[in-house]
Amino acid sequence: ALLKSMVIPPRPAILLQLEQEQMREEPDFAAIAQLISSDLTLSAAVLKTVNSPFFNLKNRVSSVYQALQLLGLRNLGNIVRGVLLRQALSPEGEAKMERFWLNSLRVALVSAKLSERIHGMAADEAYTYGLFQDCGMPLMQARFSSYRATLDKCEGVNLDKALEIEEQRHQTNHAVVGYLLGRTWFLPDHINLAILNHQHINIFDSPEDSHWHQVCSLIAVAGLAGHVVRKHFIQPPIRDWRLIEPVFLRHLGMERSEYEDLTDQINRFLDAV
């Protein structure tokens, strides 16, 4: 019923082609650069992102091939995925969602940095999940004219209550919609499940299972990243954060002192950009 009433944008064909190139034993950088450059809007957006202060490059990049050489295939693939997501979810009136996309990018970048300290977690997966975690929100806003008022109503309530408010007002919530988008875009299953469950902290109480451990790790890293970003930019923390933060740290096996040291490093990074 939800799929019938809401437009879930299909995965762009260029993303499928890019992923096929990435899976080759010896990816052809020239072919990949040509693939991205063939879409002028995409290549311009990718170069704008690469040259932004977030990536802190010493010299400006003037071509997709140059960006590929400097950043590597995985990093550039993440940037392309983020640009395509943004284009798919806000083709019109993008200025209204500028704050949302800026925050998503910050959380994705900080998630990637935090993941470097987590055994067995790939930085590119942490980045992708950080970018897609709340991707259901733009779709909800596009479908429901009153969704912005719903978000205002959710301010200051705990995570479960926020989903409950969305359900009451719209008969669905952004986590479910984001999960459907992730499946439509063929994201890995554990990333999709993390999108679906990222506001259900009780899943951390579930019996240990390697698959669900991976899901919880993504949620925990992005949750800590989101808190760092909110605190740095003087935004209010989510309600009950004092209860949630220890759950995330315990799951990741991270001492508070280590997390605080990491936070200091990330704050310097955020200051620089």
Side-chain angles (χ1 to χ4, degrees), residues 2-3 8 175-185:
L2 176 62
L3 285 169
I8 305 290
V176 171
V177 175
Y179 170 75
L180 290 174
L181 176 71
R183 288 190 59 176
T184 301
W185 283 43

Side-chain angles (χ1 to χ4, degrees), residues 91-92 102 163 172 225:
E92 296 177 7
L102 183 59
L163 290 183
T172 188

Side-chain angles (χ1 to χ4, degrees), residues 235-249:
Q235 299 166 2
I238 62 175
R239 186 164 179 180
D240 298 336
W241 177 250
R242 289 185 178 181
L243 299 176
I244 295 170
E245 184 181 48
V247 174
F248 289 166
L249 292 175

Side-chain angles (χ1 to χ4, degrees), residues 52-65:
S52 72
F54 279 113
F55 291 91
N56 199 27
L57 298 180
K58 291 181 179 179
N59 299 305
R60 289 183 65 81
V61 169
S62 57
S63 71
V64 173
Y65 187 76

Side-chain angles (χ1 to χ4, degrees), residues 20 31 39 49 94 141 186 238:
Q20 288 173 339
D39 184 324
T49 303
E94 188 176 314
Q141 180 148 320
F186 295 94
I238 62 175

Side-chain angles (χ1 to χ4, degrees), residues 140 143-154 161-173:
M140 292 283 284
R143 173 66 180 81
F144 304 107
S145 59
S146 60
Y147 187 64
R148 187 175 290 276
T150 300
L151 292 180
D152 291 340
K153 196 173 180 65
C154 291
K161 180 63 176 176
L163 290 183
E164 189 180 311
I165 291 170
E166 287 190 32
E167 291 278 357
Q168 288 172 349
R169 294 169 67 98
H170 308 295
Q171 289 71 59
T172 188
N173 64 67

Side-chain angles (χ1 to χ4, degrees), residues 71-90:
L71 297 176
L73 184 53
R74 280 184 175 271
N75 286 330
L76 194 71
N78 283 331
I79 292 169
V80 170
R81 188 180 285 110
V83 169
L84 290 171
L85 178 68
R86 181 170 179 159
Q87 289 178 350
L89 299 191
S90 54

